[in-house]
Every structure is written in C-alpha cells, then in structure tokens.
C-alpha cells in the first residue's frame, strides 16, 4: 500500500506542474506547460573537467539566477510556480542538495519536486526499461508503475555492446519496451529502444499515452 501511495502522489505532482526542468549534460532544458514551448539554458564551465557534471556551474559567479527566473515567466515570488526538476539518475546526495538549494536561491524552491529522469520516460502505468546518461555513466533502470525496481550502471567510456548486454540483463527475458531521452546527443548512437523528445515527454506528463511505440529488446 505504501508503494502505491507514493506512486499516486507522484502522479498528482506530475499533472500539477507548470514547468519541467530537465538537467542535461550541456544545458538545462525548460518546458513551459501553459505555453507549450521549450527553452534551453546552456551551461558553460570555465574548465571541462572529466566526470564533473556541467550543472555544477550553476553556482559560478558568472551564472545568473535571473536567467532561470526569466525562463519561468518572471518573479516567482509573485506567481508561485510549480516546478518539476528531472535530475540525472546517477546524481549524488550532495549534488541533489546543491540543486535544491540553487532552486531556493532562484526563488522556485517552495513548489519544487525533484524526480529521476528515468521515471519520466513513459506513462506511469507501464513497465519499461529506461536509459539515461551523464558525463560519468549510463543508467539503466527497470521501472514498474512509476517505481524504480532495478538499476544498473555502465561506464560512459564502455562500448555499446556492454550497454546492450546490461539492458538485456535487467530485462531478464521479459522483452520490455526501452526508452531514452532524445534531448541531447548521447556519447554514441543508441541502437536499441525509442528516443523521446522533451515534447513527447510533456505528453506523458499530461497523461497522454505515448504508446504504441516500437522499442522492445530484440
């Protein structure tokens, strides 16, 4: 019952949001639900350090909190925005806390919900496998009815054959549909599953089914 309750709360959170912030490898992508439009805020670190996510630069002095405010339609303290922030699946507890504090500093923390990117890749009633990635690794997750059941990680420098092998291991012969975000370029072409744009993900948030889609493991 507890698992079901958490899932119902997650569904209500999704349908009640005004904005979706997708924390990508190179940019922050913002979807405005009311206006049905997308905006991108590029992240430009002074140095590109291997395995250090670019979203760490949101705390740089050169980065303006006003950029987020403008993308969210102005002063959030006057019109409180309900914001869902989709964070990488391999995010650490410290990074999660840092992003939460950044949201508070930017004025959007009072109505903020954080969610792993893997949970947004399909209608919540579905059982599927998600593939997401960061500058560190690929994250493979088996999701059932909005709840992560099983997770695994593959190093970002590994070959595609290693990724596919791990997906099949997670699948365990169920032949489940596979989804991945088609928002930023992956480290190499993903030759399994279905890529979903931010607009397509928005349809899922609205409760519109993205099935039927081809993308099962073969």
């Amino acid at each position: 019952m507890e698992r079901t309750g958490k899932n119902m709360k997650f569904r209500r959170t999704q349908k009640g949001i005004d904005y979706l912030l997708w924390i990508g490898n190179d940019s922050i992508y913002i979807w405005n639900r009311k206006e049905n439009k997308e905006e991108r805020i590029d992240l430009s670190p002074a140095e590109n350090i291997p395995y250090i996510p670019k979203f760490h630069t949101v705390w740089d002095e050169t980065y303006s909190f006003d950029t987020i405010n403008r993308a969210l339609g102005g002063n959030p303290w006057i019109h409180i925005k309900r914001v869902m922030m989709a964070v990488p699946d391999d995010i650490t507890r410290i990074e999660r806390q840092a992003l939460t504090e950044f949201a508070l500093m930017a004025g959007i923390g009072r109505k903020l919900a954080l969610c792993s990117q893997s949970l947004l890749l399909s209608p919540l009633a579905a059982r599927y496998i998600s593939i997401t990635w960061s500058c560190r690794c690929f994250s493979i997750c088996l999701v059932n009815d909005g709840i992560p059941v099983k997770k695994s990680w593959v190093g970002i420098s590994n070959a595609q054959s290693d990724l596919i092998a791990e997906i099949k291991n997670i699948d365990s012969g169920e032949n489940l549909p596979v989804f991945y975000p088609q928002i930023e370029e992956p480290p190499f072409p993903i030759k399994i599953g279905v890529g979903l744009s931010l607009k397509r993900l928005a349809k899922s948030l609205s409760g519109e089914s993205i099935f039927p889609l081809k993308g099962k493991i073969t």
Side-chain angles (χ1 to χ4, degrees), residues 171-192:
D171 181 74
S172 300
E174 289 190 60
N175 196 31
L176 295 171
V178 179
F179 300 101
Y180 60 88
Q182 202 167 38
I183 299 172
E184 288 184 330
E185 289 294 326
F188 49 73
I190 297 178
K191 299 180 179 179
I192 186 172

Side-chain angles (χ1 to χ4, degrees), residues 21 44 73 78 80 83 89 104-105 157 169 180 208 212 214:
L21 270 65
S44 303
I78 297 176
I80 298 175
V83 179
D89 283 76
L104 286 169
M105 292 289 290
S157 59
N169 180 52
Y180 60 88
E208 179 180 336
K214 296 180 180 178

Side-chain angles (χ1 to χ4, degrees), residues 142-177:
L142 172 59
V143 180
N144 185 62
D145 197 26
I147 299 171
V149 177
K150 191 186 300 183
K151 280 190 174 183
S152 184
W153 293 269
V154 174
I156 203 67
S157 59
N158 288 40
Q160 179 157 189
S161 57
D162 296 328
L163 176 63
I164 293 177
E166 193 57 37
I167 292 170
K168 291 185 176 181
N169 180 52
I170 290 284
D171 181 74
S172 300
E174 289 190 60
N175 196 31
L176 295 171

Side-chain angles (χ1 to χ4, degrees), residues 21-51:
L21 270 65
W22 183 279
I23 307 299
N25 287 312
D26 298 313
S27 307
I28 296 176
Y29 299 85
I30 301 175
W31 173 66
N32 182 325
R33 183 174 187 172
K34 183 178 180 180
E35 298 183 12
N36 193 28
K37 71 177 184 178
E38 178 183 338
E39 184 171 345
R40 187 179 79 183
I41 300 174
D42 292 328
L43 302 172
S44 303
E47 297 178 299
N48 285 316
I49 304 174
Y51 307 114

Side-chain angles (χ1 to χ4, degrees), residues 87-91 116-119 130 132 139 141 151 153:
V87 298
D89 283 76
D90 69 331
I91 195 171
S116 296
Q117 293 171 350
S118 61
L119 300 183
S130 70
T132 59
S139 300
C141 183
K151 280 190 174 183
W153 293 269

